[in-house]
């Protein structure tokens, strides 16, 4: 099995990918040697590829500001080596891990998942309880936590939410809205059968609808959430008229490249409260850090500015 461990640039909190091509051909980098007895707690991100994740930047910021001696590595693990790596995670020196594409569904099957991971059908955070490797999906609390930070009280003013898209990200959003008590979650997808499948899973408060009915639902939507890739750099525009939303509506977009999507720009032009995809990325990282290092971190303006600068650099 060829796994690739990326060293972290301590000044930037990001992986050193200067020799990335050679590594992806099968070379394995050596980790920095540390005494076995005094080695700090460490977590990692497992993906394939994984080198350009912002997770190290986020977690090293928290380690530094909280004064915790610890580490966060990137482990590029191909699909054929994932099971061996995860089942021996502690042997590799880690107390837990984040999991990204293409491993999230496999991680669910190899661990003991909680209700959230089972509901979403994918795990993105692993940790040990004793000798048992547990898993959860923090996209749910990342989405809801970001809404709470950007639009406090949003749930009290939301009887109807309109969610666009019925993919993996939509599962986390719908679960979070149902769990938070939203009365009606209207789920629109171009393939309406996928929306029906999610409604069957999440219960009577989820109402599947076809994409051509979105315009009719906008005037009653207290919350509009885009979980599709539409509006992302290189993708077609979403084509939703934010002007039809009520004046109290909140608009959330899971896309964070660009940071301000056309949907968010239109909503802000109307004076509506918004929640962007970068905020969700930051908030979803909180629980994993707490599980691994024992302290709950805070999403601060300084952290956001740090990640924004990295996302927008030439």
């Amino acid at each position: 099995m060829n796994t690739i461990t990326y060293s972290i640039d301590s000044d930037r909190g990001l992986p050193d990918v200067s020799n990335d091509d050679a590594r992806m051909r099968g070379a394995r980098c050596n980790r920095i040697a540390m005494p076995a007895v005094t080695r700090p707690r460490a977590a990692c991100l497992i993906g394939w590829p994984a080198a350009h994740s912002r997770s190290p930047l986020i977690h090293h910021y928290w380690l530094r500001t909280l004064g915790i001696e610890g580490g966060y590595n990137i482990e590029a693990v191909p699909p054929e080596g994932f099971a061996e790596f995860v089942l021996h995670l502690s042997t590799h020196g880690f107390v837990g891990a984040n999991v990204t594409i293409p491993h999230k569904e496999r991680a669910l099957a190899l661990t003991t998942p909680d209700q959230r991971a089972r509901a979403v059908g994918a795990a993105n955070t692993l940790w040990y309880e004793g000798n048992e490797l547990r898993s959860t999906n923090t996209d749910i609390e990342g989405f809801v936590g970001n809404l709470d930070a950007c639009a406090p009280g949003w749930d009290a003013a939301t009887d109807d939410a309109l969610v666009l898209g019925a993919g993996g990200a939509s599962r986390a959003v719908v679960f979070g809205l149902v769990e938070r008590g939203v009365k009606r979650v209207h789920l629109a997808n171009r393939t309406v059968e996928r929306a029906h499948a999610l409604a069957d899973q999440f219960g009577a408060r989820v109402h599947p609808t076809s994409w051509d009915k979105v315009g009719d639902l906008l005037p009653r939507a207290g919350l509009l959430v885009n979980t599709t890739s539409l509006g992302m750099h290189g993708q077609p525009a979403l084509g939703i008229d934010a002007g039809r939303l009520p004046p109290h509506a909140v608009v959330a977009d899971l896309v964070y490249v660009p940071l301000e999507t056309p949907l968010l720009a239109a909503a802000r032009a109307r004076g509506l409260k918004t929640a962007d995809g970068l905020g969700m990325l930051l908030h979803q990282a909180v629980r994993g850090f707490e599980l691994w290092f024992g302290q709950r971190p805070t999403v601060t303006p300084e952290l956001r500015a740090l990640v924004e600068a990295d996302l927008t650099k030439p």
Side-chain angles (χ1 to χ4, degrees), residues 28-53:
R28 180 177 178 86
C29 296
N30 293 323
R31 297 189 188 93
I32 298 173
M34 302 181 72
V37 176
T38 60
R39 183 174 59 194
R41 296 169 72 84
C44 66
L45 172 77
I46 310 170
W48 187 261
H52 301 289
S53 168

Side-chain angles (χ1 to χ4, degrees), residues 6 36 63 74 82 119 130 136 138 140 159 177-178 191 206 219 248 276 297:
Y6 288 93
L63 289 168
I74 284 183
F82 180 72
T136 188
T138 62
I140 299 162
D159 290 332
L177 294 176
V178 171
T191 306
V206 181
H248 68 278
D276 63 19

Side-chain angles (χ1 to χ4, degrees), residues 29-223:
C29 296
N30 293 323
R31 297 189 188 93
I32 298 173
M34 302 181 72
V37 176
T38 60
R39 183 174 59 194
R41 296 169 72 84
C44 66
L45 172 77
I46 310 170
W48 187 261
H52 301 289
S53 168
R54 271 76 186 187
S55 291
L57 189 63
I58 297 167
H59 289 286
H60 281 98
Y61 169 84
W62 284 330
L63 289 168
R64 184 175 67 255
T65 56
L66 292 171
I68 298 172
E69 188 179 4
Y72 188 96
N73 295 350
I74 284 183
E75 296 284 340
V77 180
E80 64 271 19
F82 180 72
E84 187 280 333
F85 190 91
V86 165
L87 293 176
H88 299 89
L89 191 62
S90 61
T91 305
H92 290 287
F94 299 115
V95 298
N98 286 131
V99 179
T100 188
I101 55 174
H103 301 316
K104 290 184 177 183
E105 291 78 15
R106 187 73 175 127
L108 187 79
L110 292 170
T111 59
T112 303
D114 66 5
Q115 179 190 9
R116 292 183 167 196
R118 289 195 300 270
V120 175
N124 71 348
T125 302
L126 313 180
W127 80 100
Y128 284 100
E129 283 187 2
N131 292 323
E132 184 178 38
L133 187 60
R134 300 292 313 279
S135 64
T136 188
N137 190 302
T138 62
D139 286 339
I140 299 162
E141 56 215 88
F143 169 70
V144 174
N146 188 38
L147 272 180
D148 287 340
C150 295
W154 66 271
D155 47 343
T158 302
D159 290 332
D160 289 84
L162 174 56
V163 178
L164 307 177
S170 178
R171 288 177 174 270
V173 168
V174 170
F175 184 96
L177 294 176
V178 171
E179 187 179 57
R180 200 59 175 261
V182 175
K183 292 179 181 178
R184 291 172 294 276
V185 179
H186 304 278
L187 182 61
N189 197 62
R190 294 192 187 278
T191 306
V192 72
E193 291 79 11
R194 295 191 67 179
H196 278 284
L198 260 66
D200 291 343
Q201 178 181 355
F202 290 110
R205 278 189 282 165
V206 181
H207 303 269
T209 188
S210 59
W211 196 264
D212 59 6
K213 297 293 194 296
V214 166
D216 297 333
L217 291 167
L218 287 172
R220 55 196 275 202
L223 174 67

Side-chain angles (χ1 to χ4, degrees), residues 220-233:
R220 55 196 275 202
L223 174 67
L224 172 66
V225 186
N226 176 37
T227 73
T228 77
S229 61
L230 296 175
M232 183 185 295
H233 277 318

